[in-house]
Amino acid sequence: MKKTKKYNKSKNNYKLIFLVLSVIFFIARSVQMGYSISFKLAHPAATLYLFDYNFYFGTRTFVGSILTLLKDKITYQQIFGLNAFIYIAIIAAFVFLCLYSAKKAMTENNNILFLILIAFIVFPYSLIQYAGWIGSYDLYLCLFAVLSALTALSKRAHWLFPILCIMAIFTHYSFVLCYFPAVLSVHIYCIYSSENKPSRIASSALAFLSSFASTVYCVFFANNTIKMTRSELLSYMGDRLGMPASNERYIDAYYFNDEVADMIITLQTRVFNQGFIKNSVLFFLPIILFFCLLWYNCIIKTKKNQIFPYLCFLGTAAVNIALAFIIPEYPRWLTAATLSQFIIFFALMKKEEACVLNFLNRLNKTDTDIWFVIGVVVTVVSSLTITPYDVFQ
């Protein structure tokens, strides 16, 4: 008995060392990426946040309007500082969401669960990717997604879900594709597992309808409300920033050109290369297939009247994988796909979902640590192999 306790204690000690090293790596890598990539792009990225109700009512109105309320003149350094704060807020929200999983992995000596936590911290298509995107709207979409998942775990806060969805879509309508399916699936799961079903059904239905209406407006009607010509817009942004506006290519493509096919084709040609195939097959697919295997296992193991949420989880993975092959700038979609699955997983762990726990326990029954070792090696190699994606490259 004493030997077993000492053995478990020694295992927890080396897991704690792995965890500390992973956190140190995450902090160092995030600071390095933020300094070398994000700050370099702070000025061109700032124009993305100057669209507000003075310009038009549509995408990014939410963030742009908040900035307008703060002051008439705003520097790109201030916008970068705000987005850096949002990045920290995302980290804090995720920590709160996965705290139960971390505690369980340490106390029960679960190698598989601990490996998932390590991957979440250092995997290049996970949270660390956003350190190179401080300035892009993806930060806000991820934060809204995590907060939406947290509202699903609350008895009363689930009524905030529709509001968060609208705020996210009016930051950028791509939220509907990259994160909304996952967080809606979590809310659907909570409908099945909650005693107060009518209230949760109402809030989820309201979120779906309001998100659909907001997306239709942002995609098809927002640009019809433009009040400025191109030259007036660039002059307006230059005045607010105190220096000439940048990022004209994206402004033209999204707001002034009716046909952006040439730009999309150029982007696809540039990103769909050997690096895309290597990174997707060797590093992204293994982790996403693990989650697919988890949801498939739950589908065949759970009761028939409880299957639908897991079908939704499996569907979100399929949608996210498809987006990476269809839409340019694939690292954004691979990251959203990975984080969407982590959001679902951590939410279910926080709810102590028996099906998920049983699956992890079965994988963890082996006496060897081979899966843990393989996972750590793959995660480290991928972190060192994959070059951080430059949004404005």
Side-chain angles (χ1 to χ4, degrees):
M1 187 71 175
K2 288 182 179 180
K3 286 184 178 180
T4 303
K5 285 184 177 179
K6 287 182 179 180
Y7 178 71
N8 289 335
K9 186 176 180 181
S10 64
K11 278 200 163 187
N12 278 335
N13 286 338
Y14 85 72
K15 281 187 172 60
L16 185 60
I17 293 172
F18 269 115
L19 183 61
V20 171
L21 290 176
S22 299
V23 171
I24 292 173
F25 176 85
F26 175 85
I27 294 173
R29 187 68 161 158
S30 294
V31 171
Q32 181 264 326
M33 289 170 65
Y35 177 79
S36 63
I37 301 176
S38 291
F39 191 72
K40 178 183 68 176
L41 301 167
H43 178 231
T47 57
L48 299 175
Y49 297 93
L50 294 181
F51 297 112
D52 55 38
Y53 56 81
N54 291 321
F55 173 48
Y56 78 135
F57 299 92
T59 56
R60 303 190 182 96
T61 295
F62 173 71
V63 177
S65 297
I66 293 296
L67 294 175
T68 297
L69 291 174
L70 294 176
K71 56 198 317 186
D72 292 332
K73 299 282 187 180
I74 186 162
T75 65
Y76 72 89
Q77 293 96 334
Q78 290 170 329
I79 296 176
F80 179 82
L82 173 64
N83 289 334
F85 173 79
I86 294 298
Y87 182 52
I88 296 172
I90 293 173
I91 297 170
F94 261 118
V95 167
F96 185 77
L97 183 62
C98 72
L99 207 54
Y100 176 82
S101 299
K103 182 179 179 181
K104 194 171 186 65
M106 295 295 292
T107 57
E108 297 185 8
N109 194 32
N110 193 313
N111 282 343
I112 301 300
L113 180 55
F114 192 79
L115 175 58
I116 294 172
L117 289 168
I118 295 295
F120 170 71
I121 295 172
V122 303
F123 193 66
Y125 290 133
S126 186
L127 192 58
I128 202 168
Q129 180 77 271
Y130 282 138
W133 298 352
I134 296 174
S136 70
Y137 56 79
D138 305 69
L139 287 166
Y140 292 85
L141 305 189
C142 184
L143 179 60
F144 286 128
V146 183
L147 294 178
S148 295
L150 288 172
T151 62
L153 305 176
S154 172
K155 292 181 179 179
R156 295 182 179 84
H158 63 88
W159 283 109
L160 294 175
F161 180 40
I163 299 173
L164 290 171
C165 289
I166 294 173
M167 292 164 65
I169 292 167
F170 273 86
T171 298
H172 198 278
Y173 52 77
S174 61
F175 177 81
V176 173
L177 295 174
C178 59
Y179 287 116
F180 182 72
V183 293
L184 180 62
S185 297
V186 173
H187 279 265
I188 291 174
Y189 165 81
C190 290
I191 291 174
Y192 277 76
S193 60
S194 173
E195 296 179 358
N196 188 14
K197 297 182 187 300
S199 176
R200 288 186 174 275
I201 291 174
S203 63
S204 298
L206 182 60
F208 178 83
L209 293 174
S210 58
S211 297
F212 177 80
S214 299
T215 304
V216 169
Y217 175 78
C218 288
V219 173
F220 296 104
F221 300 105
N223 283 7
N224 294 333
T225 62
I226 291 177
K227 299 177 181 179
M228 296 182 183
T229 63
R230 181 182 184 277
S231 59
E232 288 173 339
L233 173 65
L234 294 177
S235 176
Y236 161 73
M237 288 184 168
D239 289 341
R240 291 194 66 189
L241 286 172
M243 60 191 303
S246 184
N247 212 11
E248 293 94 333
R249 181 165 173 255
Y250 278 81
I251 293 172
D252 289 340
Y254 287 118
Y255 306 111
F256 291 103
N257 292 346
D258 293 330
E259 297 181 2
V260 295
D262 291 339
M263 175 186 174
I264 292 175
I265 291 172
T266 301
L267 284 170
Q268 286 177 327
T269 302
R270 190 169 66 202
V271 300
F272 293 154
N273 49 32
Q274 290 183 353
F276 168 76
I277 297 172
K278 178 192 71 175
N279 295 342
S280 299
V281 173
L282 295 182
F283 304 124
F284 169 72
L285 287 181
I287 196 167
I288 208 74
L289 289 176
F290 167 81
F291 284 116
C292 289
L293 178 62
L294 171 58
W295 309 139
Y296 174 74
N297 175 80
C298 290
I299 289 172
I300 62 177
K301 296 291 184 180
T302 196
K303 298 177 182 178
K304 288 186 178 180
N305 60 350
Q306 299 291 326
I307 288 178
F308 184 69
Y310 296 105
L311 289 173
C312 292
F313 298 152
L314 196 59
T316 62
V319 169
N320 285 131
I321 292 173
L323 290 174
F325 288 88
I326 295 173
I327 304 179
E329 299 177 322
Y330 73 88
R332 281 178 149 158
W333 304 101
L334 297 184
T335 303
T338 306
L339 288 176
S340 292
Q341 296 305 304
F342 277 124
I343 287 172
I344 296 172
F345 177 80
F346 290 140
L348 266 60
M349 287 296 298
K350 212 168 183 66
K351 293 282 287 185
E352 298 185 350
E353 172 54 41
C355 186
V356 175
L357 293 174
N358 291 337
F359 179 79
L360 295 177
N361 289 335
R362 286 202 303 274
L363 290 180
N364 198 54
K365 280 185 178 179
T366 175
D367 293 331
T368 66
D369 295 334
I370 186 64
W371 289 110
F372 179 76
V373 173
I374 292 174
V376 168
V377 170
V378 171
T379 302
V380 171
V381 170
S382 65
S383 298
L384 298 175
T385 302
I386 298 177
T387 304
Y389 180 64
D390 189 337
V391 174
F392 294 106
Q393 64 184 348

